[in-house]
Amino acid sequence: MDNYVNTGKVYLIHRDFPLPMHAHSRVAASYARAAAHIGKFDAVEQALFQNQEKWEANGDVKGTVTAALSAADMKKVQALVDGRTLEPLIDKDKQAGQLVPVNQTPTTVFHCKGQTYPYAGVMSYDILKQFLDQLLAQK
Amino acid sequence: MMQTSPLNFRRAVIWTGRLLLAGIFMYAGYAKLTMGLHPRPPIGVALSFFALQVDSYQILPTWAVKTVANSLPFAEIGLGLLLLIGWKLRIWATLITLVMLVFFFAVLRSYAMGLQINCGCFATPEPLTIKTVLRDGALAALAVLMTIFAFMEARKPHAWTAPQNL
């Protein structure tokens, strides 16, 4: 993030793709999307990933998000989630993912100079860095 | 008479293995270098993307990932060509068998671990499934048979060699 995204070399887009096999993933996506809407995505995303096993087991997504936000921010997030105004955006992300198609977790799709490079799996920083540097070196 | 016929079972396996494995190896190497994209991306992009795929198997350290990614596509094309030509067949057949066995155990391990990754075999986003494991297993078995039969056939006089007592 510091070396490529914050320096403006790489544009990072997070896409939601809640899977039906994970009972609470749609709710988690709704809270994360709402948090992004008020500029608090990073804190909520971190809390959701760090406590994934917990809320997957007990379904308390709201509790996890509440712990990561101030009371005022949580109120705004809850209003957005209850209003369901951001749900079409999650559906749109999922439709975009199905076009790739996304069939593994995690999936990263690199776009550069009109080319698309879909990649599935985790990656180490050194190897990712090498690939990004090669993409950026293209004329 | 059957054993010295130029069209026996062993030779059929050797020829099938040579043609099939040579074709697959050359195509796999070429596909990794071009990524099947039009226009073809620079070779540095193709090799570094292949490095990501090698890394996704979570077997090798970073330096080894880079070494394998930078050499494997060229090695596949070279080995495929040498197998097809047939010169020093037993050497190239043995090497291809070793490479195929490594591929097979890599995909088998990843499948058993439940890693959700792409195979990376032909540089396309092909998910690693039981089909991949079975395909690589079948090709590895063919490579083993081809190599064993190549060694066995090399011990026999060729069918068209003149008899010693003439």
Side-chain angles (χ1 to χ4, degrees), chain B residues 44-156:
Chain B
V45 170
L47 291 176
S48 57
F49 185 71
F50 180 52
L52 275 176
Q53 296 195 313
V54 175
D55 191 38
S56 70
Y57 279 84
Q58 298 173 36
I59 296 175
L60 301 171
T62 302
W63 66 266
V65 167
K66 289 181 178 176
T67 307
V68 168
N70 287 328
S71 55
L72 186 62
F74 302 103
E76 282 178 326
I77 293 172
L79 281 173
L81 267 174
L82 288 162
L83 189 69
L84 193 64
I85 293 165
W87 176 70
K88 304 273 186 192
L89 178 65
R90 283 164 288 167
I91 294 173
W92 312 124
T94 305
L95 280 177
I96 281 205
T97 301
L98 291 174
V99 172
M100 269 318 306
L101 287 172
V102 170
F103 288 167
F104 174 59
F105 285 113
V107 295
L108 184 65
R109 174 186 176 272
S110 302
Y111 182 75
M113 287 172 69
L115 295 182
Q116 294 191 26
I117 60 173
N118 285 324
C119 161
C121 315
F122 302 103
T124 51
E126 173 199 355
L128 196 156
T129 61
I130 186 67
K131 216 172 108 183
T132 320
V133 177
L134 293 174
R135 183 190 64 199
D136 276 23
L139 289 173
L142 177 63
V144 169
L145 272 181
M146 173 188 72
T147 306
I148 291 171
F149 287 168
F151 275 93
M152 288 169 81
E153 287 295 304
R155 287 183 181 173
K156 294 191 322 187

Side-chain angles (χ1 to χ4, degrees), chain A residues 12-129:
Chain A
L12 177 67
I13 305 173
H14 174 101
R15 301 277 190 202
D16 289 314
F17 200 85
L19 296 167
M21 70 178 102
H22 298 298
H24 310 292
S25 62
R26 179 75 193 209
V27 180
S30 299
Y31 275 102
R33 177 67 71 147
H37 205 71
I38 65 160
K40 298 288 176 185
F41 178 72
D42 287 350
V44 169
E45 184 197 39
Q46 198 176 1
L48 286 172
F49 276 120
Q50 282 178 351
N51 299 289
Q52 191 172 348
E53 282 183 16
K54 200 169 130 190
W55 59 258
E56 265 190 343
N58 63 18
D60 188 18
V61 178
K62 186 179 174 181
T64 305
V65 177
T66 304
L69 294 175
S70 67
D73 285 339
M74 186 60 203
K75 200 175 169 185
K76 290 179 200 167
V77 165
Q78 193 60 53
L80 285 165
V81 171
D82 292 342
R84 301 183 62 82
T85 49
L86 302 174
E87 295 302 306
L89 297 175
I90 298 173
D91 293 333
K92 200 176 159 190
D93 274 5
K94 196 161 183 186
Q95 282 164 10
Q98 280 161 344
L99 287 176
V100 171
V102 171
N103 43 27
Q104 292 136 300
T105 306
T107 292
T108 309
V109 183
F110 300 91
H111 295 278
C112 185
K113 308 236 179 241
Q115 299 281 30
T116 301
Y117 307 91
Y119 172 78
V122 294
M123 43 194 138
S124 58
Y125 179 69
D126 278 349
I127 304 296
L128 173 64
K129 182 180 184 304

